[in-house]
Amino acid sequence: MMSILRTHLMYVSSFLLLTFSLINKDLVAQVDYQDRGNRYEGTKEKPVSAKPLILVAALAYPGIEPYQKWQDQSLKVAFYAPKNLGFQVHARETDGHIIYRMDSKPSQAPRGWHEFTPWEVDEVLTRVELFANNLGVLVNFDLPGKVIAPAVVYHTRKPQQVNSYHFSFLPLAGLSYLKFEVYQGYLYKKALKPEFLLKRESWGERAMESKICFDYDLAFSKLDLPPEWSGWITLRVRGKRLSDNKSVKETFYFYHAASNMSR
């Protein structure tokens, strides 16, 4: 009798293990990086970058509105296009623990405030436990140079005005020094002359560890520009690598719009 019972328990255990394995494989397949209509999204191996410093998020205040699991929420990525421009929206996690990517399909944004949507949070984001405090969003324009559009990400009420920016950088090598310079104008392949300089900030010998994101915040009110000003801004980041003291240089361009987001 005991032998029959043990055999029965073995069959039941094997059946449960097989069932759980199939369920797990199905869940993994559901969150794999794949075509999801207006975007490709899911988990995938991270591409290897040769650059020692990459920008993983460019957000406009108030950044990303918190979202919750199983609330049927869909994100909207709002940004300003100074003219009709091609764009792509990219997203990834900022702590490096989840291999998540979202890449929108190339599209056109007419002049003015534009939204990329829908982006359903329960399709992948909440399934892999990735929430607003750990999500980086970056909008790239189809222009020469690294031209970005700081974005506001929300799902309920659209903010009215943008007056500050938040950038998240991921060093792929240890850095020993960083300097941020903000210039007026779209200065692609142009001299960054002192008369265009709006703000300079140095982080001295503060060490930035490899593969740990750090943030840089830029308030428009701290720049020597009138409140009604709209135009291009150049952000230059310079640093040195810990390993060999070699220079690190990256330059980004974005457009500040003084207009109300509801227009």
Side-chain angles (χ1 to χ4, degrees):
M1 185 69 181
M2 291 298 293
S3 176
I4 295 173
L5 181 60
R6 281 197 296 270
T7 302
H8 178 71
L9 289 173
M10 287 176 61
Y11 279 124
V12 171
S13 298
S14 298
F15 174 77
L16 289 174
L17 285 172
L18 178 60
T19 301
F20 289 144
S21 176
L22 291 173
I23 291 173
N24 185 57
K25 286 181 179 178
D26 183 56
L27 290 174
V28 170
Q30 289 178 25
V31 299
D32 276 348
Y33 185 83
Q34 58 189 276
D35 191 331
R36 300 181 189 275
N38 63 344
R39 66 196 187 279
Y40 294 92
E41 182 186 18
T43 56
K44 64 180 294 189
E45 291 186 14
K46 293 181 181 176
V48 178
S49 174
K51 292 187 174 295
L53 182 68
I54 58 174
L55 178 65
V56 297
L59 299 169
Y61 179 84
I64 302 176
E65 181 182 357
Y67 50 86
Q68 297 176 323
K69 184 180 286 190
W70 312 131
Q71 298 297 313
D72 195 29
Q73 295 170 337
S74 180
L75 299 179
K76 301 176 178 68
V77 182
F79 59 93
Y80 188 86
K83 60 181 180 179
N84 193 316
L85 288 170
F87 76 92
Q88 271 191 288
V89 181
H90 306 282
R92 58 177 293 168
E93 83 284 4
T94 58
D95 70 355
H97 294 153
I98 306 167
I99 307 174
Y100 169 86
R101 288 294 298 268
M102 190 283 284
D103 303 294
S104 73
K105 294 180 179 179
S107 187
Q108 290 290 128
R111 184 180 182 275
W113 287 100
H114 183 76
E115 288 182 353
F116 165 78
T117 193
W119 181 8
E120 298 86 352
V121 301
D122 289 329
E123 197 157 354
V124 179
L125 286 169
T126 62
R127 289 173 182 261
V128 296
E129 300 293 324
L130 180 54
F131 295 95
N133 63 330
N134 230 1
L135 181 65
V137 177
L138 181 66
V139 180
N140 288 114
F141 280 139
D142 187 15
L143 282 173
K146 295 177 181 177
V147 184
I148 58 177
V152 177
V153 184
Y154 72 101
H155 55 83
T156 54
R157 187 177 179 182
K158 181 192 293 186
Q160 296 301 301
Q161 199 86 26
V162 169
N163 52 28
S164 64
Y165 301 98
H166 177 86
F167 304 94
S168 294
F169 295 90
L170 179 65
L172 299 182
L175 303 176
S176 63
Y177 164 85
L178 274 179
K179 178 184 285 186
F180 300 90
E181 293 177 338
V182 182
Y183 294 84
Q184 182 179 347
Y186 172 39
L187 304 177
Y188 177 65
K189 290 190 174 179
K190 294 180 181 178
L192 300 178
K193 297 180 180 180
E195 56 263 36
F196 299 138
L197 183 66
L198 297 172
K199 180 180 174 66
R200 176 182 284 136
E201 184 175 350
S202 297
W203 286 6
E205 297 304 315
R206 172 181 169 183
M208 272 58 70
E209 295 183 44
S210 174
K211 298 182 181 179
I212 296 179
C213 273
F214 65 87
D215 301 322
Y216 177 69
D217 293 310
L218 177 64
F220 182 78
S221 61
K222 300 295 184 181
L223 304 179
D224 188 19
L225 293 168
E228 67 277 7
W229 182 86
S230 293
W232 286 100
I233 292 176
T234 294
L235 171 63
R236 182 166 71 164
V237 186
R238 294 188 294 172
K240 291 183 179 180
R241 294 197 306 196
L242 275 170
S243 59
D244 52 18
N245 213 36
K246 285 187 176 180
S247 295
V248 174
K249 295 180 182 179
E250 293 292 344
T251 305
F252 306 93
Y253 314 90
F254 66 95
Y255 192 90
H256 170 79
S259 63
N260 193 295
M261 289 184 67
S262 62
R263 293 179 186 174

